[in-house]
Amino acid sequence: MSRYTRYVLILMALSATVRALCAALIEFGNDEVYYRLYALFPDWSHFDHPGMVGWMIQLFTLNLAWDSELAIRMASIVLGTVNIWLMYQLGTGLAGGDRRTGWASALLYVSSLYATVICGTFIMPDTPQATFWIAALLCFQRAFGRNGITEDAGTSGRWMLAAGLACGLAFLSKYTSVFLWTGAGLYILFHDRRWLRRWQLYAAVLITAACMLPVLVWNLQNDFISFTFHSERVVSQHQLHPEYFGREIAGEFFYNNPILFVLTIVAVVLFLRRRLDFDRRAGAWLLWTALPLILIFWVVSWQRVTLPHWSGPAFVTLVPLAAAAALKPLRGGEGMSRWVTAAVGFTAVLLPLAVVEIRTGVVPLDHHVEDNRMGRDDFTLDMYGWDQLRDGFAEVREEALAGGRASEDDPVYSNKWFPAANIDYYVTSPLGVRLLCVGPMEDIHKYWWINQERGGLQEGQDGWFITSSRNFREPSEMPFDGVSGCDTVKVMRCGRHVYNFYIYRVENLQLDKIEQ
């Protein structure tokens, strides 16, 4: 075992330990707690994404037999650790067997906030996508070899088939995985057309297509609602918004680690100028995979609001190039680049500080003083206070039941998939109360189907409505004939009042008032 391999194994153990601690110490964010519903109500696909993230939660929690923040995030902890090894192998292969480049690749991967936090700590569709994405890159690398098709045609063909499977599993995680085949296809067309004469290429495409069938069948049964939803998020609005583009770039700069972001740009420039010390075709397919994905979201962001993590897989793809660029000035020495050390140090410092901020709010991020606007600007409160709501609601509900003002069967209503999923997990499920969502499909997402699983919306039904000062909605805007009472739960953090929850009794649900 080489020393760099030992280094990577130690890095994997340290990273897993730190990420597991973070996962256990903070509550779920809006997205994470929503994706738990994929495991609670499994299906071949869902409104927002394919089903892989839900299947992974089921696998690592034994079908939710183990149900806690750490348990549900365990898929991220395990897969995020596997990703470090895969990146080490990818970087080593890119540099023709140079394990130091692989070691630098593993370090830079860990330094990425997208890789370590979004994919490796939080439970998101990006979690399984990252694993299958890097696995697909590695399979394509083994299939293509350093100079196109390897001398052992049988081995390269088997790697191509494996790449097809990895691409299919990545697609079952997130739709942007189609760019894996975009990159491979462009590489073959421009650099090695010999693959067009090999049956393994077409078999690999068919394997990917077979993996996609569950998603296609589900969408066929549901009027292609998932594809329609995502297409509307990127369709042109015929109006330029430079501020959207600026926010996208700023987000990518932070999500991928500012140091790594700059290093990646440097690496791409060096590669295009033929100043990286490896065969150009060894890295060309990485650029063919990454750059189209980045450029598409840059273009879209001029007209639509985008999220920086959408392009995350593209930046992960370029990590080995960034590692090679970082090591270039060392000219084959034994040390490690200051770029790499600084990038890892940035994340090593930021991650524990972020956990402390979420738990304590030591840095004040919100300055609203109005009761129904408190906490709006503090994004860390997404992951704080839900247990306090549970205790407060349980007390209010018990008093109402004892006074005959409520029924045991009365559900809690929400008007949007968030905070519905948070209330569902932290409040209603522990108390044995149903949660239902009222609103159009684009607002309630998977709850459109969950409502039916829970008995559906009933005309004239009474219940509860919970809203918060962070995303306040007047109960009079809900489709009920009457609203009575308002109990306030004050969320406290380190002795400070940070935001409010408001609990209302709502009466006589009117189905004809629900937006469609």
Side-chain angles (χ1 to χ4, degrees):
M1 180 187 294
S2 74
R3 58 173 174 154
Y4 290 118
T5 301
R6 290 196 298 272
Y7 293 164
V8 171
L9 293 175
I10 293 171
L11 178 65
M12 292 166 65
L14 288 174
S15 174
T17 301
V18 171
R19 288 181 289 112
L21 286 172
C22 294
L25 288 173
I26 56 178
E27 296 177 358
F28 288 125
N30 293 336
D31 292 316
E32 292 182 277
V33 75
Y34 174 75
Y35 295 127
R36 171 187 170 271
L37 298 172
Y38 286 20
L40 190 62
F41 298 94
D43 207 338
W44 287 115
S45 191
H46 305 276
F47 178 86
D48 322 72
H49 294 288
M52 184 64 74
V53 64
W55 303 332
M56 285 295 174
I57 294 173
Q58 287 182 279
L59 174 64
F60 283 92
T61 62
L62 301 179
N63 200 22
L64 295 177
W66 184 27
D67 191 356
S68 68
E69 285 91 351
L70 177 59
I72 292 173
R73 288 170 171 153
M74 188 53 64
S76 294
I77 307 304
V78 174
L79 294 180
T81 305
V82 171
N83 294 349
I84 299 171
W85 179 258
L86 294 176
M87 186 57 69
Y88 170 59
Q89 295 294 328
L90 186 65
T92 299
L94 179 71
D98 177 17
R99 295 186 184 277
R100 190 166 67 113
T101 303
W103 166 232
S105 299
L107 286 170
L108 287 176
Y109 180 81
V110 169
S111 78
S112 165
L113 295 176
Y114 170 78
T116 292
V117 179
I118 294 178
C119 299
T121 304
F122 297 160
I123 185 66
M124 306 275 280
D126 303 75
T127 296
Q129 184 195 33
T131 300
F132 296 126
W133 182 284
I134 303 172
L137 294 177
L138 187 59
C139 291
F140 279 127
Q141 182 187 79
R142 301 287 174 84
F144 294 146
R146 282 182 58 82
N147 299 293
I149 299 176
T150 60
E151 293 182 4
D152 186 347
T155 299
S156 66
R158 287 191 289 273
W159 280 114
M160 180 59 73
L161 296 176
L165 178 60
C167 288
L169 296 175
F171 181 87
L172 285 175
S173 305
K174 209 168 181 183
Y175 297 131
T176 49
S177 299
V178 298
F179 282 91
L180 286 165
W181 271 117
T182 300
L186 289 171
Y187 172 82
I188 290 171
L189 288 175
F190 287 101
H191 300 278
D192 197 346
R193 294 188 183 90
R194 290 176 294 175
W195 274 103
L196 297 175
R197 299 192 297 269
R198 301 194 62 187
W199 66 267
Q200 290 95 337
L201 172 63
Y202 304 101
V205 172
L206 288 175
I207 290 172
T208 301
C211 291
M212 295 166 64
L213 279 177
V215 175
L216 297 175
V217 170
W218 184 90
N219 273 276
L220 183 64
Q221 295 171 341
N222 291 276
D223 300 321
F224 290 93
I225 188 61
S226 187
F227 296 145
T228 302
F229 168 68
H230 285 289
S231 65
E232 289 176 351
R233 301 174 83 179
V234 298
V235 69
S236 172
Q237 289 186 322
H238 306 293
Q239 185 178 356
L240 294 181
H241 291 274
E243 70 277 16
Y244 293 173
F245 176 72
R247 187 166 65 180
E248 171 67 18
I249 297 298
E252 291 176 355
F253 181 77
F254 179 74
Y255 273 42
N256 296 289
N257 186 319
I259 298 167
L260 177 57
F261 184 84
V262 174
L263 185 57
T264 299
I265 295 175
V266 171
V268 171
V269 172
L270 289 176
F271 179 83
L272 295 176
R273 296 179 63 183
R274 301 174 181 267
R275 293 180 60 186
L276 289 184
D277 300 328
F278 50 80
D279 188 281
R280 284 181 59 77
R281 291 202 295 187
W285 59 276
L286 294 179
L287 290 183
W288 284 121
T289 301
L291 295 186
L293 181 57
I294 293 173
L295 292 174
I296 280 178
F297 284 123
W298 281 2
V299 171
V300 170
S301 68
W302 278 94
Q303 296 186 316
R304 300 294 300 240
V305 174
T306 56
L307 298 177
H309 70 276
W310 291 354
S311 60
F315 285 94
V316 165
T317 301
L318 298 174
V319 163
L321 289 180
L327 297 178
K328 179 178 172 58
L330 300 180
R331 299 182 181 277
E334 292 299 318
M336 185 49 63
S337 166
R338 292 179 181 177
W339 283 77
V340 177
T341 304
V344 174
F346 175 84
T347 299
V349 171
L350 183 64
L351 195 56
L353 290 179
V355 174
V356 170
E357 175 63 18
I358 292 169
R359 301 271 301 181
T360 66
V362 63
V363 178
L365 300 177
D366 180 78
H367 301 286
H368 287 102
V369 295
E370 309 96 321
D371 285 347
N372 65 349
R373 294 179 65 85
M374 288 183 66
R376 287 197 170 201
D377 294 337
D378 189 347
F379 64 93
T380 68
L381 293 175
D382 284 351
M383 296 175 280
Y384 190 88
W386 299 102
D387 54 343
Q388 297 180 47
L389 171 62
R390 177 182 61 245
D391 296 341
F393 176 70
E395 182 178 342
V396 170
R397 180 171 177 267
E398 285 299 322
E399 290 180 0
L401 291 174
R405 300 188 303 276
S407 166
E408 288 278 359
D409 295 331
D410 288 347
V412 171
Y413 293 98
S414 186
N415 63 293
K416 205 171 182 67
W417 64 269
F418 72 91
N422 303 75
I423 297 172
D424 205 338
Y425 180 74
Y426 286 106
V427 180
T428 58
S429 290
L431 298 177
V433 179
R434 285 185 303 154
L435 183 137
L436 300 172
C437 267
V438 290
M441 187 183 295
E442 57 266 28
D443 285 348
I444 68 174
H445 291 202
K446 187 171 175 60
Y447 277 101
W448 185 271
W449 291 266
I450 293 175
N451 283 346
Q452 303 307 313
E453 295 276 351
R454 290 176 170 172
L457 300 173
Q458 303 296 323
E459 181 78 19
Q461 193 169 41
D462 300 339
W464 304 90
F465 174 63
I466 300 175
T467 187
S468 82
S469 59
R470 300 190 64 238
N471 190 26
F472 184 77
R473 178 164 183 177
E474 289 286 352
S476 59
E477 299 175 10
M478 296 290 286
F480 294 89
D481 269 354
V483 178
S484 61
C486 176
D487 292 278
T488 302
V489 176
K490 296 182 178 180
V491 176
M492 309 297 293
R493 184 166 63 175
C494 286
R496 293 190 297 273
H497 179 198
V498 288
Y499 72 107
N500 298 311
F501 282 106
Y502 302 102
I503 303 171
Y504 298 90
R505 283 291 299 167
V506 287
E507 302 164 354
N508 194 15
L509 174 64
Q510 300 295 296
L511 296 180
D512 60 349
K513 293 183 179 180
I514 298 177
E515 297 179 37
Q516 298 297 326

